[in-house]
Amino acid sequence: MLRLENISLRIGGFCLESINLHIRQGEYRVILGPTGAGKTILLETIAGLNRPQQGTISLSGKNITAIAPEKRHFGMVYQDYALFPHLSVFHNIAFSLQIQGTEKKIIRQKVGRMAEFFRISHLLKRLPQNLSGGECQRVALARALVADPAMLLLDEPLSALDRLTRDRLQVELQRVHRQLGITVFHITHDLDEAFFLADRMAVMQDGRIVQQGTPREIARRPKTEFVAKLMGLKNFLPARITTEGLIKAQGLGTLNPDILQTIPQEAGDYLVSFPDQAVEIAPAQDDKLYCWQGMARITEMCRGRDRVDFKLALPDNTIIFTACSQRETDRFPCSPVPGMEIEIGIMKKGLHLLAAK
Amino acid sequence: MSTFRIGMAALGLILILLLALPLLNMVTGTDPAVLRATLADHEVSASILLTMRCALWATLAGLLLGIPLAYLLARGSFAGKSILQGLVDLPIMIPHTAMGIALLMVYGRKFPVGGFFAKLGLSFVSTEAGISLAMAYVSMPYLINAARDGFLAVDPRLEKVARTLGASPGQVFSRVSLPLCRQGIVSGAIMMWARGISEFGAVIILAYHPMVAPVLIWERFESYGLTYARPVAVLLILICLVLFAGLRWLATRGQES
């Protein structure tokens, strides 16, 4: 449906570099990246608010690179919703229809239908400054969708909200996508939000797309340390693949390459990464499950609301991280404290090899 | 009340007294009967009305030509923007008599621009048009700067969203930027009108006659002394005070509603 080919753009000191994306009809696509990765510039470029210096943007096969934003027919919602403060909720939602010169009777019908869909009919006479964050978001969505846009562009629409409202509105976005069947392009820095909503996602770093795929694919096989860190991974051990094909990882010794999901072809420097769930405290007596078993010293621990995070030192002082639930720590023979030695096992499953920087 | 607030209030009060004392002294020291007689003087009332009217023409011209420039200064990014901003502020800095001479050398009948307008039947020397022109030149920065600050205060994302909702740049300006900047523009227009009414230096060079109120006050002071100049000055101060207080109140009420 929407295709970005080799899009490059420089704004001030920031560059978008050779962005290639293909968003399918009806897809919910999330762009995940930290602040300053260029997500908003990319979104505004798709909306037509920035003109790329190179590359093409096409919508359903039609080149729209040079088309003005008002003629692209995309709905857009900004992080702080950007509701017109001088217009009532009704006139905010009706804005695009009034611009098009739609008949008043039809405007009333369409706005009414949209307000009903988002359950904001009781707010139509209010001004935006008298709305809560959640209400603002619904109004912004209704305004963006009332003229049946070809696509919905969302710029971190949930990041300004408290946890409770965010969870509720995440479900609301999912409902909008499913019930209206609209193609959504959503940018965020929140991993949970991306996993909850995305059909497919792309990870952005310093103006470039560094990995694309389903959330599951990216989480399982991050291509770079940056993506792995973004996916919440904390364990990265320097490793070397010898010419004989053996993996020598710091702290873990020599590993059999067969335990990896993808075996690299070339010898050289790599990083072995694994999620903290791959580190089991008091492991089962089954050697086949683990690539490494032994004693580790707790160097730091942090008790959260329902989990405990551990920083562990392996016998050669290599640091790894793990976490377990409060209930699991209750089952330990004695309460864990920093300095205590505990038996751990690092599971083969979840081990992943990344190219070193 | 905290010591800090008391200190701030005391300092503020000193300034208010400094500002108000000469005006209060002049107003309270004038016999109301003399004021009534001055108001009945046709030359005085005609002069005050002329001053108001010329300042209004200048302000209307400012609204028409100054707002687009203010928008460009707020939103545009182009070479020489700071020079342009400096040029806009220039009338605040240079002596207004110098500005009057500069205007005379452009819009005087013997000079090309003035000659061109004279052929069209529009003269700027010793005419109402000349007074309005002089007022516009010296007071325009107040409107442009207030409107520019107003446009700067409008979140650019509102304009961007409006574009994605189908509005052309012109529609974005008229339906989003301008209504949101209204308060800044109204304040700027009031300031411009006020500054136009008080203008003396540029006006006296370009158009001594017909006499606007500041020129009349000066002329009476020069010819007859303080006794004759004071009632006209008091009258102008009172009228301006009532008008501007009223306009400010209306503007504030408009913003609140």
Side-chain angles (χ1 to χ4, degrees), chain A residues 287-342:
Chain A
D287 289 352
K288 285 175 193 168
L289 286 174
Y290 307 101
C291 65
W292 189 91
Q293 272 181 289
M295 298 303 284
R297 184 168 37 87
I298 300 172
T299 60
E300 279 175 34
M301 56 184 288
C302 176
R303 287 184 188 276
R305 187 168 50 86
D306 55 1
R307 61 180 243 160
V308 185
D309 290 301
F310 292 99
K311 188 175 174 184
L312 304 171
L314 298 181
D316 67 345
N317 282 329
T318 298
I319 298 293
I320 62 168
F321 299 88
T322 189
C324 59
S325 67
Q326 287 280 11
R327 192 187 285 180
E328 280 174 287
T329 59
D330 292 343
R331 289 200 208 110
F332 289 177
C334 56
S335 182
V337 286
M340 181 192 270
E341 295 261 330
I342 52 170

Side-chain angles (χ1 to χ4, degrees), chain A residues 87-104:
Chain A
L87 300 179
S88 67
V89 168
F90 177 91
H91 286 104
N92 260 282
I93 299 174
F95 188 87
S96 56
L97 301 171
Q98 286 169 339
I99 290 284
Q100 287 168 9
T102 311
E103 252 179 74
K104 278 185 182 172

Side-chain angles (χ1 to χ4, degrees), chain A residues 44 70 74 80 86 96 99, chain B residues 157 160 163-165 175:
Chain A
E44 289 183 345
E70 62 267 27
F74 290 157
D80 58 0
H86 59 303
S96 56
I99 290 284
Chain B
R157 277 176 299 183
K160 288 179 180 177
R163 291 291 305 274
T164 66
L165 291 169
R175 286 172 179 255

